[in-house]
Amino acid sequence: MIAIDGQPILTAAQMRAAEDAAIAAGSSVTALMQRAGEGIAAATRRLVAGAEVLIVCGPGNNGGDGYVAATALAGLGHPVRVAASGPPKTDAAIAARAGWTGPIEALTDATPAPILLDCLFGTGLTRPLAPEIDAALARLSHAARLVIAADLPSGTNADTAEAPDWAKARPAALTLALGALKPAHGLHPAAAACGTIRLIDLGIDRPDAVTVAARPALPQPGPASHKYTRGMVAIVAGAMEGAARLAAVAALRSGAGYVALYGGSGQGGPDAIVHRPYEPEALADERIGAILIGPGLGRDDEARAHLQALIEADTHRLVIDGDALHLLDPDALRRRHNPVVLTPHAGEFHALFGTPDGSLLDRARTAAARAGVIVVLKGPTTIVADAARVRIHLAGNPWLSTAGTGDVLAGTIAAQLAHPHADPMAAADAGVWLHARAAWIAGKSFIADDLANALTPARAGA
Ligand SMILES: NC(=O)C1=CN([C@@H]2O[C@H](COP(=O)(O)OP(=O)(O)OC[C@H]3O[C@@H](n4cnc5c(N)ncnc54)[C@H](O)[C@@H]3O)[C@@H](O)[C@H]2O)[C@@H](O)CC1
Ligand SMILES: Nc1ncnc2c1ncn2[C@@H]1O[C@H](COP(=O)(O)OP(=O)(O)O)[C@@H](O)[C@H]1O
Ligand SMILES: [K+]
């Protein structure tokens, strides 16, 4: 059982292909199932302190994992019962079922136990749960002290992240992803139904274009550093200066060496922020590493002109956020040479790109490919994508749902992007990671100013 940072995420079809490749290379479904079932048994035993476990088994290989886990737990003297929705149908599950010598109850009248181990369906789900199965899981999960899901809470669609009613009402305490994570482990509503997620590694080779974000490697200042080598951020201020100031504080506290606000009243905020009048020539300064436009910019003609000038000048890396996303033609970005990061929330993303096919992960990647940019699609799970890669961030928390936290994120990303030689995708990733870390440091009921301030300890600990 291992932590999920940096781990690949595979769709159900990719998982089947990876499993087929492992089998072609000499493994077998039975061997993989043995490893999965034993891993589930070991993780369960560690968590439940001797309490009785009811394992519910379905007809496919998820059920097969359950029979292996039941046999392993019983072999260790752990109290365990098994209930099934019907007979096993795959060869490996039939063999696993044959290894279990205890009784098998019918799912619909099984008596509950303190621990429910859910092995009914995993990635092979082909249709929503029948009402009597959902009802049985609702009854057994409510009566249990703890629910553990094998691979996914049964009834979850691995790719779209739709979740069944029983699991939305009674999330698992622990979900053990088998072989690799699936999109549903990261995307809501399914992610909330999974509880804590851990991986049981089955030794299968997996593509890594889509992964859970890992802890970033952040540059540290050295003896030769000065303010420009740490990265200079320019922020275009507009109608609501407070938003641009929040972004400026965030940029400074997350590692930028120099932050200047262009335009606005020239006042307010910490003295470390430099105020300058808005002049296109000033923004051509070669020492600027990245320019942020959008927080509090307004949506009038002046704002539109400022955005257009920056996009056309193509002299610097850009972060485009907030109001600027409402003024943007994403297709115009394709002509640019310097990297661009867009930071839309779901509504802004929809207004910019409509609803491309597929899961949120596919949509973010499709949009990034269309505009030739890096997309940071913000939400309870934040997705960072370029045309080829997707990183998902699960570490934020719901206290971030307060005004101004998006401005803080934009400034944090701009600071990472401004660092000389920063890889743009890694910079966007690092920004989201630092922002989430700051949210945990800021505690509960924080305001965006507290979050920006918490970036100092977040950056210090990274
Ligand atoms: N991918 C891998 O490398 C491994 C996968 N394993 C397990 O295998 C699982 C996938 O196994 P399967 O492909 O057999 O699929 P599942 O065991 O998830 O379920 C498929 C079975 O359920 C039936 N079914 C699907 N939706 C249903 C519904 N709504 N109501 C009633 N019946 C329904 C199908 O007809 C089929 O018989 C994984 O989730 C994992 O638990 C492990 O055993 C070993 C390694
Ligand atoms: N329920 C939530 N759980 C986790 N993160 C959230 C949640 N709601 C919002 N966030 C995060 O808070 C930030 C909000 O940004 P945004 O929507 O632009 O707000 P604003 O424009 O008010 O600053 C994003 O980083 C988003 O991922
Ligand atoms: K399951």
Side-chain angles (χ1 to χ4, degrees):
M1 180 166 81
I2 54 179
I4 61 173
D5 286 14
Q7 286 292 333
I9 298 172
L10 273 64
T11 63
Q14 288 172 324
M15 195 66 226
R16 277 191 291 276
E19 188 186 7
D20 288 348
I23 290 165
S27 188
S28 67
V29 182
T30 302
L32 293 172
M33 188 177 284
Q34 193 65 30
R35 215 159 153 174
E38 285 174 3
I40 294 166
T44 301
R45 204 168 139 74
R46 260 171 66 181
L47 196 67
V48 307
E52 185 191 49
V53 181
L54 173 67
I55 306 186
V56 292
C57 296
N61 289 343
N62 197 247
D65 298 341
Y67 291 114
V68 173
T71 306
L73 282 170
L76 294 165
H78 195 102
V80 56
R81 287 187 291 120
V82 173
S85 60
K89 291 187 179 160
T90 70
D91 291 345
I94 290 167
R97 155 75 187 81
W100 168 251
T101 51
I104 298 181
E105 301 166 42
L107 174 70
T108 41
D109 18 85
T111 32
I115 312 300
L116 176 66
L117 176 50
D118 162 21
C119 301
L120 270 186
F121 307 108
T123 52
L125 190 84
T126 49
R127 55 191 184 279
L129 293 181
E132 67 274 15
I133 295 190
D134 192 71
L137 284 166
R139 179 176 65 81
L140 295 170
S141 62
H142 273 280
R145 212 170 61 217
L146 206 83
V147 178
I148 301 174
D151 215 6
L152 291 161
S154 294
T156 301
N157 183 310
D159 295 346
T160 64
E162 287 157 287
D165 289 339
W166 78 268
K168 284 194 267 196
R170 179 72 162 100
L174 174 68
T175 292
L176 297 164
L178 300 173
L181 274 87
K182 323 297 178 305
H185 292 118
L187 300 178
H188 293 283
C194 289
T196 299
I197 299 163
R198 291 287 180 272
L199 175 73
I200 294 185
D201 184 14
L202 301 179
I204 297 175
D205 282 340
R206 301 151 306 172
D208 61 359
V210 183
T211 70
V212 178
R215 185 190 186 90
L218 294 171
Q220 305 294 333
S225 295
H226 54 75
K227 57 184 181 276
Y228 295 115
T229 60
R230 287 184 53 190
M232 176 176 177
V233 175
I235 301 176
V236 180
M240 282 176 62
E241 256 183 274
R245 272 200 302 272
L246 275 174
V249 175
L252 279 167
R253 292 196 181 276
S254 63
Y258 191 140
V259 177
L261 270 183
Y262 291 78
S265 66
Q267 286 164 3
D271 294 333
I273 299 173
V274 175
H275 295 266
R276 300 242 172 91
Y278 178 89
E279 282 161 6
E281 310 78 61
L283 280 164
D285 188 334
E286 281 179 357
R287 293 170 301 184
I288 295 172
I291 302 178
L292 166 62
I293 182 163
L297 182 70
R299 301 183 194 174
D300 57 9
D301 288 345
E302 191 183 12
R304 188 183 296 278
H306 288 174
L307 175 65
Q308 204 158 336
L310 282 179
I311 291 173
E312 281 170 13
D314 194 9
T315 46
H316 293 91
R317 296 169 164 213
L318 286 184
V319 179
I320 305 180
D321 179 56
D323 283 337
L325 293 169
H326 294 269
L327 303 170
L328 183 68
D329 167 12
D331 296 314
L333 299 172
R334 290 208 63 82
R335 294 189 289 275
R336 279 181 52 98
H337 170 69
N338 286 290
V340 176
V341 178
L342 306 183
T343 53
H345 56 54
E348 289 159 346
F349 182 89
H350 180 77
L352 278 170
F353 297 106
T355 309
D357 286 342
S359 71
L360 271 189
L361 306 180
D362 301 320
R363 285 181 209 161
R365 186 165 42 188
T366 303
R370 173 178 149 191
V373 299
I374 290 151
V375 170
V376 176
L377 174 52
K378 298 180 293 194
T381 296
T382 291
I383 300 163
V384 177
D386 68 8
R389 297 166 296 175
V390 180
R391 304 286 171 250
I392 72 163
H393 290 259
L394 308 171
N397 72 50
W399 291 106
L400 282 167
S401 51
T402 180
T405 53
D407 308 319
V408 172
L409 177 66
T412 309
I413 292 174
Q416 313 317 304
L417 192 65
H419 196 274
H421 316 302
D423 170 73
M425 174 98 174
D429 247 344
V432 179
W433 191 89
L434 283 169
H435 185 252
R437 193 180 166 98
W440 287 105
I441 291 171
K444 296 182 175 179
S445 200
F446 55 76
I447 63 170
D449 305 66
D450 303 328
L451 180 69
N453 289 337
L455 281 161
T456 292
R459 181 66 176 80

